[in-house]
Amino acid sequence: MTQTATNPATEWFERLNVELKELNHEAALYAWDSSTLPTQMATVEKIIQLTKRKAHWERTMCDRGLQHRDFNASLDRAFHLLCRTPQYTDGEISEIAKLLGYMQGIYTETQVCVDDVSNICKQNSEDLLWERTYFQYPDFALKQRSGEKYDEHDKDHICLYGEPEMEQIMTETTSIFSAQINCSINREILHSWAWQSWRLAVGPPMKESYGKLIGHMNIGAQRLGYADIGESWRAELETPNLRELVHRLWRQVKPLYQKLHAVARYFLKRKYPKVENFHPAGLIPAHILGDMWSQNWESLVPLIYPHQVDIEENLKRKNWTGEQLIKRAEDFYSSMGLPMMTKTFWEKSIFARGTNVTKCHGTAANMYDNGDFRMIVCAGNSMSDFYVVMHEMGHIMYYMLASVQPTVFQDGTNSAFQESIGDTIYLSAINPLHLTRINLLNSSFLSPEDEHNLNSFDYVLLLKTAMVKISSIPFSYIMDRYRWALFDGTVDFNAEANNFLWHLLETEQGIKPPTKVDRSEYFDAAAKYHFPDNTPYVRYFLANFLSFQILEGLCRKSIFGSVDSPNELPIPLHRCDLYGSKRAGRLLQKALSLGGSQHWTAVLKILTGSEKISADAMYRYFEPLIELLDKLIQRLDIPVGW
């Protein structure tokens, strides 16, 4: 009996996926340990060895795949996705891993400490607050230590991580610090201290390492034919002229951002009339915007548009645990016919900081092992926590649905789409109908009150959403524009890095540091998790636009049965509730199940009927709010711009 010869191209493809799954599973396990446990050099060394093995394996598979890449479209795409990453020597891999491990450890394990708390409270002294502040660094960075470990039973002494404690000081959601120091110290002073101390704690120790990292990454990128590592990062998004697209989208939405900025500045000036060098038509001091990075202004909503209903307070009164909050997110996804979280998800995920868990940055993980999907989120009782949960569950849903694909296609069509799915569902979940459904809002706030058939609470929700989404756009635009300039040498890292960052923050975001201290020697970008984690940020910028487009497409599918219907939506886009819509769920499942097997334009076409990323849906969503902002600006004679 004659055996049929195995097709060499098919054999290559099958072997690629089997071996890639094993490597990805091993990498996921190490990454999980790294994300949940204090930095351990043993884990770092394992990651280094695995990275070397995977790099050698990729080169071998890519060399073998060259002769098969034109066999069919699927194999060609697999080759493209696998073989576009920079190539590093074993020595470079070791050095990059050590640099990243060191910086990530500094970010996640450094604590800002204060002793003599009661005396600071008693004396109401900003000078004493700074005098009694020091930084406690992880054990692997003893040379950086500027304080000794404290007795955890010493109630007059506190040490705080960047996430979530220092961040919570900025959003005024912490109970750790406010119960002691905030008893008498002015909030603006406290926010200025938190903003400055976090940057002083993590920036200087990371600066030298980040400069070295740039050099090593550029070498590997250039070895594969890229001009620098920035070009390699942009290649992942498979968008010709990505820089031009990003600039165009920012210019489209900047007028809306400037209106939000103007209104926020007006009311902040009324709240903080004594803040130095804060001019009614100028830059906003970064520390009073209610966020460590001035990208989320949600806490300013009551200041601008006070309302009898406080969703934050309603959520706090629910006293939901992290797991209960996640159950409500799961309920929304599953109501659309999407799969429930797996048994392993509930067993292995982390929903609160524990004894051995020091890292709380929201994370979703695909372990590449038969339904093993996990989440890290130190969830509390705030709308920001609800957003993080919905966002991370969007990643999990993408992983679950794309798991039907061969391993090489399971990451999704690109990183921007990965970031957009959870945001899309969140946008649908924070509408008046769903908030009523989960008893965070009284049904009376569904009744129309104005000529647009909207209720006063519609405007609260629109403003809250804008203060999360629109306020973050210039920040996400700046983060990679800044890094691209460092990578290609346009900006000299050692001499100009921090000055260039503040040039962008001032000209594009309209903010400035709390004090006039010369910041040219600092490395303020390190205060954001994605720098030591080396995660590109333009994906979040694009996801912001995609989420509104996808919401509109799913809404059209839900109501009309087609994303291409020429009919106008019978409801405002911000009131589109996808809860229980099996039509929308089936469309989302169809798109996400493709994983990375199709170019992102094909996936966007399925979800929206268009192949182009646009700000149009975003403007339609915020149309009622824009009208409200225009009226406020005119009535209060608020200057726009800076």
Side-chain angles (χ1 to χ4, degrees):
M1 184 174 178
T2 306
Q3 287 188 329
T4 304
T6 304
N7 184 303
T10 303
E11 183 180 11
W12 173 83
F13 186 67
E14 290 175 351
R15 179 180 174 185
L16 180 156
N17 286 292
V18 169
E19 295 178 357
L20 181 60
K21 183 177 181 180
E22 293 173 355
L23 289 165
N24 284 355
H25 173 61
E26 189 177 351
L29 289 173
Y30 293 148
W32 183 260
D33 286 345
S34 178
S35 295
T36 57
L37 302 173
T39 300
Q40 299 175 356
M41 293 315 296
T43 301
V44 173
E45 188 56 38
K46 288 177 181 177
I47 293 172
I48 291 172
Q49 294 307 316
L50 173 62
T51 305
K52 289 177 181 177
R53 282 194 284 117
K54 189 172 181 180
H56 286 293
W57 174 82
E58 281 183 359
R59 285 198 290 271
T60 300
M61 293 304 295
C62 291
D63 289 343
R64 292 175 179 172
L66 274 173
Q67 57 188 308
H68 306 309
R69 64 171 298 179
D70 295 324
F71 186 79
N72 62 38
S74 184
L75 267 66
D76 182 59
R77 182 149 184 81
F79 179 89
H80 168 70
L81 295 178
L82 183 71
C83 304
R84 65 186 179 184
T85 55
Q87 294 181 357
Y88 299 105
T89 65
D90 284 356
E92 290 162 354
I93 289 170
S94 295
E95 189 61 26
I96 288 172
K98 288 175 182 176
L99 289 168
L100 288 174
Y102 170 78
M103 291 191 294
Q104 290 161 12
I106 291 291
Y107 186 92
T108 58
E109 296 175 50
T110 293
Q111 293 177 297
V112 177
C113 302
V114 179
D115 59 19
D116 201 16
V117 173
S118 59
N119 195 30
I120 293 170
C121 239
K122 204 176 296 179
Q123 294 192 36
N124 188 23
S125 170
E126 180 183 1
D127 290 340
L128 184 58
L129 172 59
W130 277 107
E131 183 182 321
R132 305 307 298 173
T133 298
Y134 68 90
F135 310 134
Q136 188 161 277
Y137 292 93
D139 290 339
F140 66 82
L142 284 172
K143 65 179 181 178
Q144 297 288 353
R145 190 181 300 284
S146 57
E148 295 302 321
K149 292 203 176 203
Y150 72 101
D151 181 351
E152 63 182 8
H153 301 295
D154 182 357
K155 302 303 181 185
D156 206 33
H157 189 141
I158 52 176
C159 282
L160 307 172
Y161 291 103
E163 294 188 48
E165 290 99 343
M166 293 295 287
E167 182 181 353
Q168 288 172 342
I169 289 174
M170 301 298 293
T171 59
E172 299 188 352
T173 57
T174 184
S175 58
I176 301 170
F177 210 2
S178 60
Q180 299 178 71
I181 285 189
N182 203 30
C183 60
S184 59
I185 293 230
N186 177 283
R187 285 185 177 183
E188 186 263 327
I189 290 173
L190 189 59
H191 292 169
S192 178
W193 169 84
W195 189 97
Q196 293 181 75
S197 62
W198 180 239
R199 284 158 177 77
L200 281 169
V202 298
M206 284 193 218
K207 186 174 182 181
E208 182 180 354
S209 295
Y210 196 81
K212 291 178 180 177
L213 179 68
I214 291 172
H216 288 299
M217 291 194 301
N218 275 345
I219 290 170
Q222 290 160 358
R223 193 172 283 130
L224 201 66
Y226 297 113
D228 56 76
I229 191 64
E231 186 179 353
S232 171
W233 281 13
R234 293 189 292 276
E236 184 271 332
L237 289 160
E238 299 187 285
T239 304
N241 303 315
L242 178 64
R243 287 182 192 251
E244 289 77 6
L245 171 64
V246 168
H247 295 327
R248 177 175 59 79
L249 289 171
W250 168 230
R251 295 304 163 203
Q252 275 186 271
V253 81
K254 191 172 184 179
L256 173 54
Y257 173 78
Q258 288 176 316
K259 291 177 183 180
L260 269 184
H261 179 280
V263 171
R265 179 178 57 200
Y266 175 85
F267 286 97
L268 283 168
K269 183 64 180 172
R270 293 209 317 192
K271 182 179 180 179
Y272 299 109
K274 296 182 180 179
V275 173
E276 292 184 7
N277 302 308
F278 182 15
H279 303 291
L283 304 169
I284 301 175
H287 66 293
I288 62 173
L289 279 163
D291 177 70
M292 182 62 80
W293 309 280
S294 307
Q295 66 177 130
N296 184 335
W297 304 353
E298 189 176 6
S299 63
L300 304 184
V301 172
L303 187 68
I304 297 170
Y305 198 89
H307 197 271
Q308 64 200 81
V309 176
D310 188 335
I311 288 291
E312 292 286 349
E313 284 302 315
N314 289 353
L315 186 54
K316 284 178 184 176
R317 280 194 289 269
K318 290 291 181 184
N319 201 28
W320 287 333
T321 63
E323 185 169 335
Q324 288 173 319
L325 198 64
I326 291 163
K327 284 284 188 184
R328 276 151 184 82
E330 181 190 43
D331 176 60
F332 197 105
Y333 282 90
S334 63
S335 78
M336 299 171 65
L338 297 168
M340 304 279 282
M341 296 296 100
T342 63
K343 181 172 180 287
T344 308
F345 172 87
W346 295 108
E347 292 173 347
K348 299 290 182 69
S349 293
I350 294 172
F351 305 139
R353 187 188 293 276
T355 306
N356 295 319
V357 179
T358 61
K359 305 176 184 182
C360 273
H361 189 83
T363 304
N366 178 6
M367 307 304 290
Y368 293 89
D369 186 28
N370 301 322
D372 190 352
F373 307 101
R374 307 178 189 179
M375 182 188 294
I376 301 171
V377 55
C378 297
N381 284 309
S382 72
M383 291 303 289
S384 293
D385 293 314
F386 186 47
Y387 164 72
V388 171
V389 166
M390 294 294 284
H391 176 86
E392 299 303 335
M393 193 164 284
H395 285 297
I396 300 289
M397 194 57 59
Y398 211 153
Y399 294 147
M400 292 173 73
L401 294 175
S403 65
V404 299
Q405 292 288 337
T407 309
V408 72
F409 298 139
Q410 287 183 18
D411 277 343
T413 189
N414 69 27
S415 56
F417 268 81
Q418 267 285 358
E419 300 299 337
S420 69
I421 302 306
D423 282 19
T424 299
I425 303 303
Y426 174 76
L427 286 173
S428 181
I430 55 164
N431 73 77
L433 184 59
H434 188 67
L435 292 175
T436 300
R437 184 182 291 114
I438 58 177
N439 297 317
L440 290 178
L441 186 67
N442 187 289
S443 60
S444 64
F445 291 99
L446 296 176
S447 304
E449 293 178 348
D450 65 12
E451 69 274 16
H452 301 301
N453 292 319
L454 298 181
N455 188 284
S456 60
F457 199 74
D458 284 278
Y459 295 99
V460 173
L461 284 177
L462 282 167
L463 185 57
K464 284 176 75 71
T465 305
M467 290 302 208
V468 174
K469 301 286 282 184
I470 302 300
S471 65
S472 71
I473 290 177
F475 179 86
S476 55
Y477 167 75
I478 288 166
M479 287 300 97
D480 274 1
R481 182 177 166 189
Y482 171 69
R483 281 189 283 193
W484 294 342
L486 298 183
F487 295 157
D488 67 18
T490 303
V491 172
D492 182 87
F493 178 77
N494 293 315
E496 303 172 324
N498 220 48
N499 287 341
F500 180 62
L501 176 65
W502 279 103
H503 165 72
L504 293 175
L505 291 170
E506 290 175 5
T507 57
E508 303 294 355
Q509 199 173 356
I511 65 171
K512 64 180 180 179
T515 68
K516 286 187 173 182
V517 171
D518 180 9
R519 308 196 68 81
S520 59
E521 297 301 316
Y522 292 115
F523 183 38
D524 290 330
K528 182 65 178 173
Y529 174 83
H530 300 75
F531 269 74
D533 195 57
N534 209 35
T535 302
Y537 217 88
V538 71
R539 61 183 64 174
Y540 303 103
F541 176 87
L542 296 174
N544 231 331
F545 295 88
L546 286 168
S547 59
F548 290 96
Q549 286 184 263
I550 295 171
L551 174 67
E552 188 174 51
L554 293 178
C555 191
R556 287 187 166 279
K557 179 68 175 181
S558 182
I559 294 173
F560 303 124
S562 168
V563 297
D564 294 320
S565 172
N567 299 321
E568 288 190 14
L569 289 174
I571 54 172
L573 184 54
H574 77 274
R575 275 204 170 200
C576 178
D577 185 7
L578 297 174
Y579 186 89
S581 175
K582 301 299 191 292
R583 275 182 174 178
R586 285 192 293 271
L587 184 67
L588 196 58
Q589 186 158 2
K590 176 183 177 182
L592 302 191
S593 296
L594 293 172
S597 66
Q598 300 292 318
H599 191 272
W600 66 265
T601 53
V603 179
L604 185 61
K605 180 80 171 176
I606 291 170
L607 291 169
T608 69
S610 172
E611 295 183 346
K612 295 182 179 180
I613 303 176
S614 164
D616 294 345
M618 183 184 288
Y619 268 95
R620 283 191 284 272
Y621 183 97
F622 287 115
E623 190 173 332
L625 177 65
I626 294 170
E627 185 176 324
L628 175 68
L629 292 174
D630 287 339
K631 288 179 180 178
L632 268 176
I633 289 167
Q634 183 176 11
R635 179 166 60 85
L636 299 172
D637 193 25
I638 298 174
V640 178
W642 52 85

